[in-house]
Amino acid sequence: MAQLLTIEDLRLLAKRRVPRMFYDYADSGAWTESTYRANEADFAAIKLRQRVAVDMTNRTLASTMIGEQVSMPVALAPTGIAGMQHADGEILAARAAARAGVPFTLSTMSVCSIEDVAQNTDKPFWFQLYVMRDRAFIERLIDRAKAAGCSALMLTLDLQILGQRHKDIRNGLSAPPKPTIANLINLVFKPRWCMGMLGTKRRSFGNIVGHATGVGDMTSLSAWTAEQFDPTLSWDDVKWIKDRWGGKLILKGILDAEDAELAAQSGADALIVSNHGGRQLDGAVSSIAALPGIVEQVGGRMEVWMDGGVRSGQDVLKAVALGARGVLIGRPFLYGLGAMGEEGVKLALDIIRKEMDITMALCGKRDIQDVDASILVKGKA
Ligand SMILES: Cc1cc2nc3c(=O)[nH]c(=O)nc-3n(C[C@H](O)[C@H](O)[C@H](O)COP(=O)(O)O)c2cc1C
């Protein structure tokens, strides 16, 4: 096997090991994928200032996100059906995150359930909530996250209607997946993945099946999810959820300064500048391009984080330099997971940590708390 030195190396290995349907589900964006591409390209356009002859000893990346200690300001983003990239994927990713000293976020649309992840890990994690029409189900989900000891609730605001991903339609991605001949043949070439799946019972939406009224199996699930994302979601609902939860609240999916203003007024603890990894509004600006304006608008009233397009430690530093208190990664850890399970996620985090550490030093900084716009070449932000 080639040496695995970059997130791109992990992507290529995941592509070999994960069935095409699930690999494509991760590695795709909405419609023309222009926003998906812009997320990465806009990071590449930002240039760092190289500094020399400054003391580079005793460096630290340690920080806090909503008051929680983190070994570096990077968290694992909520991703649906991570348990299809690798058997028991959410549990493995949560364990890797805990070992690396960074937060893990469990999606509403996970394979392993909230209770399952809590039972199989030692560290509290964050729970991401989608607002469904069935409000009684939402109330139960919030209560379950509380009972499982989740230390923050992350409310996603940018997916009440689904952006279309052509690859998912062409691949027949549904619940349950379409057993087309092409899909079945593809499985023959993924023996490692198949063995993993045969060895686990976790193969459906753990937070939903058996918990939502009328959803007892995969067939009823498909119909339920298709109609449940609630397009009437409003800031009143945000308030209702904040009160019902009563703990730390993170709002995910803000890309516009006007929405950031409303988010700041909502009393939430953090917002995430995000376009859902280019999976929703195709044609929207990249997250890194939206970040500075939102940081300015919020003016310190809450923490501002970002996600989308982070593929290296250099990218994390650029986001921190532009005012992000923290950064989330989605695909980078999914590639690690698909490539090598728990060790792959740990490797993805180690790769990013090392890149960040050395890059910070080469920019003349020793402490992530001192990283600001002075490490960037002016005019490129
Ligand atoms: C395969 C996949 C599934 C996702 N599922 C969810 C989800 O269930 N809930 C959510 O809030 N965001 C979800 N997202 C968006 C991520 O949380 C995050 O915003 C995005 O992946 C960041 O971009 P990046 O992948 O370039 O790091 C998903 C992203 C991917 C790639």
Side-chain angles (χ1 to χ4, degrees):
M1 195 200 304
Q3 286 192 56
L4 300 169
L5 301 176
T6 64
I7 297 301
E8 177 65 7
D9 293 340
L10 290 172
R11 184 184 74 76
L12 293 172
L13 187 55
K15 190 171 186 180
R16 285 219 320 259
R17 294 192 167 165
V18 177
R20 184 177 48 223
M21 171 186 289
F22 298 117
Y23 171 80
D24 279 352
Y25 168 68
D27 185 18
S28 59
W31 285 290
T32 69
E33 302 191 333
S34 69
T35 297
Y36 178 32
R37 284 192 301 276
N39 277 347
E40 289 182 40
D42 287 358
F43 265 117
I46 299 170
K47 300 300 172 202
L48 296 165
R49 282 174 69 202
Q50 170 177 303
R51 301 299 307 277
V52 296
V54 279
D55 185 359
M56 294 177 181
T57 54
N58 297 328
R59 297 185 301 279
T60 177
L61 299 174
S63 190
T64 59
M65 290 171 79
I66 50 165
E68 295 185 18
Q69 294 291 330
V70 291
S71 66
M72 59 178 169
V74 175
L76 300 194
T79 57
I81 55 171
M84 285 293 140
Q85 302 295 329
H86 190 287
D88 307 332
E90 290 90 0
I91 291 172
L92 301 186
R95 285 183 183 158
R99 280 167 60 201
V102 303
F104 169 77
T105 320
L106 185 72
S107 165
T108 294
M109 306 307 287
S110 60
V111 172
C112 306
S113 69
I114 306 174
E115 293 79 9
D116 206 4
V117 176
Q119 272 156 26
N120 288 286
T121 54
D122 302 326
K123 211 184 136 196
F125 54 94
W126 298 340
F127 181 68
Q128 175 266 327
L129 184 72
Y130 278 129
V131 176
M132 309 290 188
R133 289 180 202 263
D134 182 349
R135 295 302 157 94
F137 171 70
I138 295 302
E139 288 181 352
R140 285 198 300 277
L141 262 186
I142 293 174
D143 294 348
R144 288 168 62 195
K146 248 189 241 172
C150 293
S151 56
L153 188 73
M154 185 183 291
L155 176 60
T156 298
L157 299 171
D158 63 357
L159 194 128
Q160 295 316 114
I161 290 181
L162 271 183
Q164 178 169 312
R165 291 185 302 271
H166 301 321
K167 286 178 203 149
D168 291 352
I169 296 175
R170 294 199 172 107
N171 288 332
L173 184 80
S174 56
K178 288 208 176 76
T180 61
I181 296 200
N183 286 337
L184 293 174
I185 291 175
N186 189 245
L187 285 185
V188 174
F189 297 98
K190 316 288 176 185
R192 189 186 282 259
W193 183 93
C194 292
M195 290 301 289
M197 283 300 159
L198 288 172
T200 185
K201 290 199 181 86
R202 303 175 179 107
R203 287 193 224 110
S204 72
F205 289 94
N207 292 327
I208 297 171
V209 176
H211 293 280
T213 313
V215 184
D217 58 24
M218 287 296 265
T219 317
S220 46
L221 175 73
S222 190
W224 186 84
T225 41
E227 64 169 33
Q228 272 296 329
F229 285 86
D230 189 347
T232 70
L233 173 69
S234 72
W235 288 100
D236 288 340
D237 297 308
V238 174
K239 184 175 181 326
W240 170 70
I241 287 163
K242 182 176 185 298
D243 293 344
R244 172 94 197 179
W245 166 248
K248 292 269 165 75
L249 181 69
I250 304 157
L251 299 179
K252 178 169 184 283
I254 306 286
L255 204 61
D256 190 275
E258 275 186 40
D259 288 336
E261 177 58 35
L262 297 169
Q265 288 171 14
S266 77
D269 298 278
L271 73 75
I272 307 175
V273 179
S274 175
N275 48 37
H276 217 100
R279 296 164 78 83
Q280 285 293 96
L281 178 60
D282 182 35
V285 289
S286 68
S287 302
I288 193 65
L291 177 66
I294 291 183
V295 169
E296 195 185 338
Q297 181 70 42
V298 168
R301 284 175 288 171
M302 68 200 302
E303 290 189 16
V304 176
W305 306 345
M306 68 80 62
D307 73 20
V310 174
R311 298 294 177 268
S312 66
Q314 295 88 307
D315 292 341
V316 179
L317 272 186
K318 289 172 182 177
V320 171
L322 288 172
R325 176 82 201 168
V327 161
L328 279 74
I329 53 170
R331 296 178 185 88
F333 97 80
L334 289 178
Y335 298 147
L337 183 64
M340 294 162 58
E342 179 177 336
E343 291 313 313
V345 179
K346 179 67 171 46
L347 181 56
L349 288 165
D350 289 346
I351 287 170
I352 287 176
R353 183 193 309 280
K354 186 173 179 195
E355 290 168 340
M356 232 177 124
D357 176 47
I358 293 176
T359 306
M360 183 171 78
L362 293 173
C363 289
K365 299 283 185 189
R366 297 196 297 180
D367 187 337
I368 191 76
Q369 307 301 329
D370 295 335
V371 168
D372 57 19
S374 70
I375 71 162
L376 304 178
V377 175
K378 281 206 178 70
K380 293 282 181 190

